[in-house]
Amino acid sequence: MFARQPVSAGVLVGYAADLALADPRRGHPVAAFGRVAAGLERVTYRDGRAAGALHVAALAGAVTLLGAAAQRAAERRGGLWATAATAGATWACLGGTSLARTGLDMAELLERGDVEGARRLLPSLCGRDPARLDAAGLARAALESVAENTSDAEVAPLLWAAAGGAPAVLAYRCVNTLDAMIGHRSPRYLRFGWAAARLDDAANYAAARATAGLVVLCAPLIAGSPAGALRAWRRDAARHPSPNAGVVEAAFAGALGVRLGGPTRYHHELQIRPALGDGRAPEAADLRRAVTLSRLVQAGAALLAARLGCRRDRR
């Protein structure tokens, strides 16, 4: 299998590596890319969309070309090397195990009543301003982040790896990282980050809907409601300012029987988000269930990606 089906096998090996090893504490390739992107920004930054588009194109193009060169070199050496290239790139781009661990750490802090500790941990999950959040606000922020990042950090990389091997998954992670760095609506990045934000929306469109579908399928495994997930997805997702985050957050809210959305404070602005779901405000126990649901969705996505990879291997 490893030699004859390098894409499908590589996806599964990369997923298994993330389960076993999570993110490396030092020398993570995504962190290294972030430093390069920040350095280039000092040269390319202008307060305009064209400059931002050039910044994204230069970085995404370079990463894609490097990934393609590495993939071709591996394929010339044989099937096992091709599998290793896809597996290595997939593992480097996944973040599901670290996401789950951080979500559980947050739940434990909230259960102990350690609000200050939870505030210090929240930046590891999302870019919100934790200073004014109480325990309920922290639980909601963490659960929404677990939901959104189930798609961004696990399902999307697996699907992109299955679709195009190492070049595709590396390009996806490049775009997603740039969106996190410059895609928000702060005064500095409102125009410069426009291209990164729009490209990330496009890159995550299919994955967000695959994630929501997997949430519907997996909800019974956590005593959740598949009907509630489907209802919240259909009814509430379109009101969210993000075309992708609203889909997965609504599905998680419906599956867990909680209500997400409401005032959402970032360092640069306050957003009033629409309500997602019909239930009560989430608590620490709901965050634990969300982490379990996230892990189940990740496993389902790995199987789906392997299946898609088999089709590509047969070409």
Side-chain angles (χ1 to χ4, degrees):
M1 174 184 178
F2 290 98
R4 295 192 303 272
Q5 297 180 312
V7 175
S8 58
V11 166
L12 290 176
V13 171
Y15 170 69
D18 181 61
L19 286 179
L21 304 174
D23 293 329
R25 294 185 181 274
R26 295 182 179 179
H28 197 294
V30 175
F33 170 79
R35 290 191 292 271
V36 171
L40 182 63
E41 183 185 329
R42 290 193 286 270
V43 177
T44 59
Y45 180 81
R46 302 290 186 277
D47 188 15
R49 289 184 176 183
L54 178 63
H55 179 75
V56 173
L59 289 164
V63 168
T64 303
L65 289 173
L66 287 172
Q71 186 79 52
R72 287 195 298 270
E75 289 171 352
R76 286 195 294 269
R77 299 188 68 175
L80 287 176
W81 285 96
T83 298
T86 300
T90 302
W91 171 57
C93 295
L94 290 174
T97 297
S98 294
L99 173 67
R101 289 176 180 175
T102 306
L104 291 177
D105 288 344
M106 177 66 78
E108 183 176 348
L109 289 169
L110 292 173
E111 287 166 348
R112 295 205 310 256
D114 186 356
V115 174
E116 287 303 318
R119 286 172 176 160
R120 289 192 296 271
L121 182 61
L122 187 65
S124 298
L125 283 170
C126 60
R128 300 185 193 181
D129 183 359
R132 302 183 188 181
L133 294 179
D134 58 9
L138 290 162
R140 175 172 75 85
L143 201 157
E144 289 173 353
S145 181
V146 166
E148 182 178 2
N149 283 293
T150 298
S151 177
D152 289 4
E154 193 73 15
V155 177
L158 288 167
L159 295 182
W160 278 106
V169 70
L170 291 173
Y172 166 76
R173 180 50 67 198
C174 165
V175 169
N176 188 245
T177 303
L178 289 172
D179 177 59
M181 295 177 69
I182 66 173
H184 44 84
R185 297 175 63 85
S186 67
R188 175 178 173 85
Y189 294 123
L190 183 61
R191 286 176 287 274
F192 184 76
W194 179 86
R198 298 291 78 76
L199 190 57
D200 183 71
D201 286 345
N204 279 294
Y205 188 87
R209 284 141 187 87
T211 302
L214 288 167
V215 167
V216 172
L217 293 175
C218 295
L221 300 177
I222 58 152
S225 170
L230 189 59
R231 181 172 58 251
W233 173 9
R234 288 178 170 175
R235 185 193 63 204
D236 300 335
R239 301 198 304 243
H240 195 281
S242 167
N244 299 323
V247 170
V248 291
E249 289 178 19
F252 265 77
L256 296 167
V258 299
R259 184 181 67 257
L260 301 177
T264 303
R265 179 171 292 279
Y266 294 90
H267 292 283
H268 57 277
E269 68 174 342
L270 173 65
Q271 295 182 4
I272 306 300
R273 298 280 180 83
L276 305 174
D278 300 313
R280 53 181 171 73
E283 302 172 350
D286 300 306
L287 180 55
R288 287 191 178 275
R289 292 176 67 217
V291 170
T292 301
L293 180 57
S294 175
R295 283 175 159 166
L296 291 168
V297 169
Q298 292 169 28
L303 295 176
L304 174 61
R307 177 64 177 170
L308 294 174
C310 284
R311 294 184 179 181
R312 188 168 184 271
D313 287 326
R314 287 198 292 266
R315 291 177 186 174

